[in-house]
């Protein structure tokens, strides 16, 4: 068990690693016992947690005291369970196994020559770490007090031909963990629990939205135009029509078409695809929830978001308490009893308290000492901090004819002032937010939000907020722009390179404008990053830890 896992399994028998060869030999011996090493349908299985919970102390005590008496009726509950073998000890006429499933890290199984079926005992002797077995027998406790299935039968479910990770180190290499997630999940049980929590969170999110009267709509993944966000899309070719199409970067524009069609509350939980950076909080494909509510606004969406996040925190807190109880802990580690305080790294985030609120301008001025409208000072500050040169490199990478190293005097006039203001905001102001306090930042500059309705009487300010938790942006919300003439004007500004998000729309979306001309009611819209929410609720610092199969560079 302590030998390293081979990096590959050659096709030729002569080249097969000796540990795999031994496992193949054990598989063949299992076949010689008349057993199918890859299992058969098995009904009436219970989870390992259910099996352990079935333990009856009175029945076990009676068996201990009178089990050898003639005519004694054994009333210990009999269970049938399946799990992957994580420990194997052969003591001659008694084989000890520990098996694992997603509900319990380990449950002991005792297979004695006296009490188990002949084939079951022989199979237990041939078992390797990693094999999946079905075991059946009464639940008892050993003298050491360990809950155990005293097996009367053992059957194979699947043979593991791959030697397990090294006994003490486990599967620790991050690259291998992400590539071989199937091994990661049974080698590190908490990984499977994260994905189980993710499933519960998404399920509860959907129910929450439906309880609020929203209906889920499926919008197209392949689109003739990539719109609804500022992002570089993936492009592919549709052979049937001989046209290039884009994988969606947002679900926004199609969901808004549903509002035009008369559905007042719509949402979608779905995958988006953006051909951009990869880091601990970004993956090329990711999951969001977008929702739109007719006759709502961005304040409506703030209440929705706060209530939803708090509800998801409740689901996470319940799972943490449940897992703690399964481990015999009186209270879940890191959490405050009876509260919605959840750990995220070194932070303790209280989701029960009202979320903080601050405006974009307030946060900017508080952090930098001057207002974002003071553009001369903004350019000077940005140049001093190296942000002008950084943005110039970004423009050059985008294909703009900009020299690699420029100063404010060279760049000013080529880009909108608000871009440099926002560079300062993101680099200086955002980090001043308390990561342990969920915070809405309200009222962004209109130039940064071309699909958003301006505040009444303040055309330079958009009715938009972004929600920040744990040092991450979780998602924005807007009071949606529904005037087709203003929307067309903003689209054309983008095409002329005059708007701050010129990369949002490569072409004018005539059909969307036509939909707005039909008439879209005033509405609030929201987009939340599911992966980042799961990171927060599961206390994981990397997005790759909450996506079952994160994108990886090919091994070759």
């Amino acid at each position: 068990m302590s030998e390293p896992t081979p990096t590959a399994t050659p096709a030729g028998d002569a080249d097969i690693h000796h540990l795999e060869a031994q496992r193949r030999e054990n598989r063949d011996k299992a076949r010689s016992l008349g057993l199918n090493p890859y299992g058969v349908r098995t009904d009436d299985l219970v989870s390992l947690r259910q099996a352990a919970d079935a333990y009856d102390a009175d029945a076990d005590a009676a068996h201990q005291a009178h089990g050898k008496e003639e005519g004694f009726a054994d009333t210990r509950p009999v269970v049938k369970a399946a799990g992957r073998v994580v420990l194997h000890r052969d003591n001659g006429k008694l084989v000890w196994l520990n098996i694992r499933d997603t509900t319990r890290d380990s449950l002991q199984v005792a297979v004695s020559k006296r009490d188990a079926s002949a084939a079951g005992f022989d199979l237990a002797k041939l078992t390797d770490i990693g094999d999946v077995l079905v075991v059946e027998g009464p639940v008892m406790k050993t003298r050491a007090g360990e809950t155990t299935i005293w097996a009367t039968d053992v059957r194979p479910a699947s043979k593991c031909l791959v030697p397990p990770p090294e006994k003490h180190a486990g599967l620790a290499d991050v690259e291998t963990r992400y590539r071989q997630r199937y091994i990661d999940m049974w080698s590190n049980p908490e990984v499977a629990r994260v994905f189980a929590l993710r499933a519960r969170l998404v399920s509860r999110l959907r129910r929450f939205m439906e309880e609020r009267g929203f209906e889920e709509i499926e919008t197209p993944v392949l689109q003739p135009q990539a719109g609804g966000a500022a992002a570089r899309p993936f492009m592919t070719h549709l052979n049937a029509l001989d046209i290039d199409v884009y994988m969606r970067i947002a679900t926004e524009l199609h969901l808004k078409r549903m509002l035009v069609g008369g559905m007042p509350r719509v949402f979608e939980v779905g995958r988006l695809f953006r051909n951009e950076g990869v880091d601990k909080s970004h993956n090329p494909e990711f999951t969001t929830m977008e929702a739109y509510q007719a006759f709502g606004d961005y304040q409506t969406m703030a209440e929705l978001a706060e209530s939803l996040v708090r509800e998801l925190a409740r689901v996470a807190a319940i799972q943490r308490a449940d897992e703690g109880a399964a481990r015999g802990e009186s209270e879940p580690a890191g959490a405050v009893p009876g509260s919605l305080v959840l750990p995220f790294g070194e932070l303790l985030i209280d989701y029960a308290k009202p979320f903080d609120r601050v405006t974009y301008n307030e946060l900017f001025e508080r952090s930098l000492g001057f207002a974002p409208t003071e553009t001369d000072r903004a350019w000077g500050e940005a140049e001093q901090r190296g942000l002008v040169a950084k943005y110039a490199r970004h423009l050059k990478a985008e294909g703009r004819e900009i020299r690699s190293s420029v100063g404010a005097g060279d760049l000013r006039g080529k880009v909108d002032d608000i871009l440099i203001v926002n560079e300062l905001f993101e680099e200086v102001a955002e980090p001043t937010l308390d990561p342990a306090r969920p915070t809405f930042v309200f009222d962004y500059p209109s130039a940064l939000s071309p699909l958003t309705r301006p505040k009444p009487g303040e055309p330079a300010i958009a009715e938009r907020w972004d929600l920040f938790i744990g040092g991450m942006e979780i998602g924005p919300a807007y009071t949606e722009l529904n005037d087709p003439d203003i929307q067309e004007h903003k689209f054309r500004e983008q095409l002329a390179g005059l708007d701050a998000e010129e990369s949002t729309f490569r072409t004018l979306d005539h059909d969307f404008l036509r939909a707005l001309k039909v008439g879209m009611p005033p509405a609030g819209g929201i987009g939340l990053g599911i992966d980042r929410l799961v990171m927060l609720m599961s206390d994981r610092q990397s997005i790759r830890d909450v996506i079952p199969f994160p994108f990886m560079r090919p091994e070759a």
Side-chain angles (χ1 to χ4, degrees):
M1 186 173 170
S2 61
E3 295 190 42
T5 303
T7 56
T9 302
D13 290 347
D15 296 326
I16 291 179
H17 190 279
H18 71 277
L19 292 178
E20 181 177 336
Q22 179 62 52
R23 288 166 175 266
R24 289 178 179 273
E25 183 179 336
N26 287 343
R27 181 186 64 179
D28 294 341
K29 289 179 180 178
R31 283 196 173 109
S32 70
L33 297 174
L35 302 173
N36 180 349
Y38 294 102
V40 296
R41 170 180 167 173
T42 306
D43 297 326
D44 303 321
L45 288 170
V46 300
S47 71
L48 295 186
R49 182 170 183 180
Q50 289 172 320
D53 290 345
Y55 173 72
D56 185 326
D58 292 337
D60 192 26
H63 181 270
Q64 295 280 355
H66 307 292
K68 295 182 179 179
E69 297 176 5
E70 186 176 351
F72 173 76
D74 188 355
T75 59
R76 294 176 300 174
V78 175
V79 298
K80 186 191 299 183
R84 192 178 291 271
V85 177
V86 294
L87 187 65
H88 181 269
R89 292 169 292 161
D90 189 342
N91 292 347
K93 293 184 178 181
L94 183 61
V95 179
W96 297 95
L97 306 171
N98 281 61
I99 59 177
R100 171 181 295 164
D101 69 5
T102 58
T103 67
R104 191 178 171 99
D105 290 357
S106 180
L107 181 62
Q108 184 168 266
V109 178
V111 190
S112 76
K113 187 171 184 179
R114 181 191 65 193
D115 296 322
S117 64
F121 179 75
D122 290 341
L123 176 65
K125 304 278 278 187
L126 296 170
T127 291
D128 293 297
I129 302 297
D131 289 358
V132 183
L133 299 177
V134 175
V135 298
E136 185 173 5
V139 184
M140 46 84 70
K141 281 193 176 180
T142 63
R143 291 177 183 174
E146 185 166 357
T147 304
T148 303
I149 298 176
W150 195 268
T152 56
D153 196 21
V154 180
R155 287 288 180 267
S158 188
K159 183 66 183 179
C160 178
L161 298 178
V162 179
E166 201 277 330
K167 179 176 181 180
H168 298 291
L171 189 63
D173 180 72
V174 173
E175 181 89 0
T176 303
R177 287 182 55 207
Y178 294 148
R179 290 189 188 281
Q180 301 179 32
R181 186 66 92 182
Y182 36 87
I183 296 180
D184 186 27
M185 290 173 64
W186 71 263
S187 180
N188 301 306
E190 69 279 2
V191 172
R193 286 194 286 269
V194 168
F195 299 142
L197 174 60
R198 180 185 178 114
R200 293 188 185 102
L201 292 172
V202 172
S203 176
R204 183 65 191 106
L205 180 150
R206 282 190 160 103
R207 293 201 310 276
F208 178 93
M209 295 300 291
E210 290 164 356
E211 290 164 2
R212 291 288 187 107
F214 288 82
E215 296 177 284
E216 186 164 14
I217 304 299
E218 294 178 303
T219 63
V221 172
L222 294 178
Q223 302 180 355
Q225 295 174 251
R232 182 184 292 112
F234 288 97
M235 186 175 72
T236 186
H237 190 76
L238 180 58
N239 290 334
L241 300 180
D242 192 26
I243 58 171
D244 290 335
V245 292
Y246 300 91
M247 299 183 73
R248 68 184 180 193
I249 58 174
T251 55
E252 176 173 352
L253 300 186
H254 285 87
L255 288 174
K256 286 182 176 178
R257 287 171 168 92
M258 303 304 292
L259 295 186
V260 174
M263 298 185 74
R265 299 189 182 195
V266 294
F267 78 103
E268 181 174 11
V269 176
R271 285 291 221 197
L272 302 183
F273 308 86
R274 298 185 181 180
N275 194 1
E276 297 179 336
V278 178
D279 57 34
K280 70 176 184 178
S281 60
H282 294 86
N283 195 63
E285 55 175 321
F286 58 98
T287 305
T288 67
M289 188 279 289
E290 285 197 48
Y292 295 88
Q293 178 176 337
F295 300 102
D297 64 4
Y298 73 146
Q299 297 287 356
T300 309
M301 294 296 103
E303 187 281 324
L304 177 74
E306 185 167 346
S307 299
L308 173 58
V309 171
R310 187 169 292 124
E311 175 62 18
L312 297 184
R314 187 188 66 82
V315 173
I318 290 173
Q319 175 156 320
R320 286 182 61 83
D322 192 47
E323 291 170 0
R327 292 190 296 267
E329 299 172 0
S330 57
E331 296 291 348
V336 177
S339 75
L340 294 184
V341 176
L342 295 177
F344 183 63
E346 297 180 353
L347 304 173
L348 287 176
I349 302 176
D350 189 348
Y351 293 95
K353 291 181 179 178
F355 291 6
D356 285 352
R357 298 187 177 208
V358 64
T359 69
Y360 184 101
N361 287 355
E362 288 170 349
L363 185 59
F364 187 98
E365 189 162 356
R366 188 171 72 197
S367 306
L368 287 141
F370 60 92
T373 53
E374 298 180 60
T375 54
D376 288 342
R377 292 188 65 177
W379 276 95
E381 185 76 19
E383 185 165 35
Q384 183 178 345
R385 294 176 178 269
L387 298 180
V388 172
K390 176 184 174 183
Y391 195 71
R393 290 193 296 272
H394 167 74
L395 292 177
K396 187 174 180 64
E398 291 286 320
R400 297 282 291 271
E401 294 182 2
I402 300 291
R403 289 188 291 110
S404 298
S405 178
V406 298
D410 302 304
L411 194 60
R412 196 168 187 182
K414 295 184 173 66
V415 298
D416 198 307
D417 291 342
I418 193 59
L419 290 176
I420 295 302
V421 169
N422 199 55
E423 285 287 319
L424 279 172
F425 180 82
E426 293 180 350
E427 290 282 339
V428 182
E430 281 183 11
T432 67
L433 293 170
D434 183 352
R437 294 295 304 272
T439 303
F440 292 107
V441 178
F442 277 83
D443 299 341
Y444 277 67
S446 289
L448 295 173
S449 309
L451 297 178
T452 308
R453 179 180 288 194
K455 288 180 73 70
E458 298 182 76
I461 302 297
E463 292 194 337
R464 163 189 165 185
W465 56 251
D466 278 7
L467 174 60
F468 294 87
I469 309 176
M472 297 186 294
E473 180 191 348
I474 305 305
Y478 313 89
T479 300
E480 301 298 339
L481 183 60
N482 63 339
D483 184 321
D485 294 337
I486 296 176
Q487 184 65 86
E488 181 173 359
H489 175 69
K490 286 184 172 289
F491 282 176
R492 294 192 182 280
E493 277 189 334
Q494 291 174 325
L495 290 173
L498 299 177
D499 191 86
E501 287 186 327
E502 62 184 359
S503 62
T504 303
F505 295 92
R506 302 297 193 225
T507 57
L508 195 64
D509 193 331
H510 292 283
D511 183 69
F512 179 66
L513 291 174
R514 180 167 55 193
L516 289 186
K517 289 178 181 178
V518 172
M520 186 182 87
I526 187 174
L528 295 177
I530 300 299
D531 306 301
R532 294 184 183 182
L533 279 171
V534 178
M535 287 171 63
L536 290 167
M537 301 303 163
S538 62
D539 188 16
R540 291 298 181 272
Q541 304 301 304
S542 172
I543 195 171
R544 292 186 170 193
D545 289 334
V546 300
I547 296 177
F549 302 101
F551 188 82
M552 303 288 291
R553 188 185 300 275
E555 290 184 87

